[in-house]
Amino acid sequence: MIMKYNTRNNYSTYLVALCWLVYSCSYIGKLSYSANINQIGTAFSVGYSQTGMISTFFFFAYGIGQIVNGIMCKRYNVRLVVFFSLIVGAAMNLAVILSPSFVLIKYFWLINGAAMSFLWTSLIRLLSETLDKKDIGKAILAMGTTVATGTVLVYSMSAIFAAIGVYHLTFILASLILLAVAGIWIFSYKGLVLPLQAERDMEITEIQIPDAEANRKSSRLPFFIVILAFFAVANNFVREGLTSWTPDILASLYNTPGWLSILLTLLLPLLAIGGTFLAIHLHAVVKSFIATCTILFGACSLLIGVVIILLSYQLLPITIACFALVSCLMASVNNVITSMMPLHLKDKFNSGRLAGILNGFCYLGSTLSSYGLGSIADAWGWPSVFTTLLTVSCTVVCIGALYLLTSKLYSRKGNTP
């Protein structure tokens, strides 16, 4: 019996590691353009709005794909879907550097976004259906670090290649990595998943973190999810806005060279790795997903306010520190919305479907930030971009506070909010 438990524990650990590898490396294929947006804009002599449009195409396809795949993922063959998604992503990264025209790149990146949109919903569905409840916490921690890990890797590569003047190598290496991971996935899948499916516990999986919303009547859940969907849009609007535009912001406002701007940008996702742990610990204290997100956005608002106040003083270290902390806070929010909550509410919703829908709203925010912030920068400069980010963050805090206040009033009247 002990041997059987240990065998299952090993299989579950390896499966989580495999899913972590797939999604971490997928970010190399997804962010290879964003990490080189400054170099590409210079090479093709185009403005911020034009370079931002390519990211907008990606995020639009990715966001719509997340919602569609979230609804449909229950019918997918996860092994084949993940494999072909990685293959198409590799092909599109190669297509970018082979493109004879800047105009064509946005269509390659549109296809890349559609292909990559299959991954998160499929992986979350696989983990929720395969792992026992004792392993779900392990999966949340691991998958919560994937975005930061992949972002650090791709920006590190890009900084090195930009320094030596060959940014094209980022796309080549991204393609090779995606092909290698696709091979590892297709050959490892059956050996890990089939034994777990054969022995899996039939009990309903629940994350062992108490949450106030979990005890509410199901009639309140749609409204609760609508609030988190709005939070998801705001989350990626701020998070991806900083990730995509920090190299340009630093180069424009502080005259840092392109390679140094990319290297400094590494601090954002590097600290964001701690966002997963912050989300879990904060949620354990406040016991509410809405309260957790509201607190995190409140801290984000304060930091963006500091950046705006200090813009005229050209204090690069403080600006970088504020950006890094905002990235950590937004990574925490993202983990709450796309990972913790879908797995926690597994008994009420299909985890893959809920994760896909909420992640789709996240990338609606990314779509708005890429082109929108680029256009604002072109028209009014980077200070207006920071003001926009502050406005969005403060709006979330107000909505979250209003929701929590309303819920408290309902509770005092003896109702279940």
Side-chain angles (χ1 to χ4, degrees):
M1 190 68 181
I2 295 177
M3 184 178 297
K4 183 176 180 180
Y5 170 80
N6 288 336
T7 300
R8 179 177 179 84
N9 188 53
N10 290 336
Y11 279 132
S12 64
T13 300
Y14 293 143
L15 178 61
V16 170
L18 179 61
C19 292
W20 177 90
L21 177 67
V22 168
Y23 206 68
S24 294
C25 291
S26 76
Y27 257 75
I28 299 176
K30 286 192 283 190
L31 293 183
S32 51
Y33 174 82
S34 295
N36 291 281
I37 192 169
N38 193 27
Q39 286 70 35
I40 292 174
T42 301
F44 287 94
S45 300
V46 294
Y48 297 130
S49 60
Q50 290 176 280
T51 53
M53 177 62 75
I54 292 178
S55 294
T56 296
F57 268 57
F58 176 90
F59 292 136
F60 174 79
Y62 191 86
I64 296 297
Q66 284 285 311
I67 296 173
V68 173
N69 293 321
I71 295 171
M72 301 297 294
C73 69
K74 191 71 176 177
R75 304 182 181 184
Y76 291 165
N77 181 319
V78 176
R79 178 172 179 259
L80 296 180
V81 162
V82 171
F83 175 75
F84 285 112
S85 295
L86 294 171
I87 295 296
V88 173
M92 291 304 102
N93 271 268
L94 280 180
V96 168
I97 61 171
L98 296 176
S99 176
S101 168
F102 179 80
V103 175
L104 293 177
I105 295 177
K106 63 176 175 284
Y107 299 110
F108 297 141
W109 230 230
L110 181 78
I111 297 172
N112 190 32
M116 292 296 184
S117 70
F118 285 86
L119 294 176
W120 183 252
T121 56
S122 298
L123 294 175
I124 290 296
R125 172 202 152 191
L126 175 66
L127 292 171
S128 68
E129 292 180 349
T130 307
L131 299 180
D132 287 336
K133 65 180 181 180
K134 62 182 175 58
D135 294 317
I136 288 294
K138 176 168 58 179
I140 289 176
L141 283 173
M143 298 305 288
T145 65
T146 52
V147 175
T149 302
T151 304
V152 167
L153 290 174
V154 71
Y155 274 86
S156 299
M157 291 161 39
S158 299
I160 294 171
F161 296 145
I164 60 178
V166 284
Y167 75 87
H168 314 80
L169 291 180
T170 301
F171 295 94
I172 295 175
L173 189 55
S175 180
L176 293 175
I177 290 173
L178 290 178
L179 289 174
V181 172
I184 294 171
W185 169 268
I186 200 71
F187 290 113
S188 303
Y189 181 88
K190 288 185 177 179
L192 294 176
V193 174
L194 294 183
L196 286 171
Q197 288 179 334
E199 300 178 19
R200 69 187 176 191
D201 194 348
M202 299 306 292
E203 295 179 7
I204 296 176
T205 303
E206 296 178 354
I207 303 173
Q208 297 185 17
I209 303 176
D211 186 82
E213 285 91 358
N215 297 319
R216 294 176 177 171
K217 292 181 179 179
S218 59
S219 61
R220 290 285 295 176
L221 283 173
F223 179 66
F224 166 69
I225 293 172
V226 167
I227 295 292
L228 281 178
F230 177 78
F231 283 12
V233 175
N235 172 233
N236 265 38
F237 185 87
V238 175
R239 187 169 69 101
E240 293 291 352
L242 286 180
T243 300
S244 297
W245 292 113
T246 291
D248 279 296
I249 291 171
L250 297 180
S252 299
L253 297 181
Y254 299 94
N255 297 315
T256 56
W259 66 269
L260 182 58
S261 296
I262 296 173
L263 193 60
L264 290 174
T265 306
L266 279 175
L267 286 175
L268 275 64
L270 196 60
L271 284 184
I273 292 177
T276 300
F277 299 93
L278 175 60
I280 291 175
H281 289 298
L282 180 59
H283 180 256
V285 173
V286 301
K287 297 178 175 60
S288 165
F289 290 124
I290 297 291
T292 299
C293 292
T294 302
I295 292 171
L296 293 170
F297 267 105
C300 175
S301 300
L302 292 175
L303 290 167
I304 296 175
V306 170
V307 171
I308 293 174
I309 293 171
L310 298 179
L311 269 179
S312 60
Y313 296 97
Q314 296 286 298
L315 299 176
L316 181 59
I318 295 179
T319 299
I320 290 293
C322 289
F323 281 4
L325 291 173
V326 168
S327 182
C328 180
L329 294 169
M330 292 299 95
S332 297
V333 173
N334 189 265
N335 185 259
V336 169
I337 293 172
T338 64
S339 181
M340 287 176 63
M341 199 196 79
L343 290 172
H344 184 75
L345 298 178
K346 183 177 186 284
D347 58 329
K348 296 180 175 64
F349 296 94
N350 176 280
S351 292
R353 178 177 299 172
L354 186 56
I357 292 172
L358 290 175
N359 213 17
F361 279 100
C362 282
Y363 280 90
L364 173 59
S366 300
T367 302
L368 295 172
S369 73
S370 295
Y371 179 72
L373 294 180
S375 298
I376 292 172
D378 280 335
W380 297 291
W382 292 114
S384 296
V385 169
F386 294 123
T387 302
T388 302
L389 295 177
L390 179 61
T391 301
V392 170
S393 186
C394 288
T395 301
V396 171
V397 174
C398 292
I399 292 174
L402 182 62
Y403 175 90
L404 293 170
L405 178 61
T406 304
S407 298
K408 190 172 183 179
L409 291 174
Y410 271 113
S411 297
R412 285 180 176 177
K413 292 179 181 180
N415 297 321
T416 302

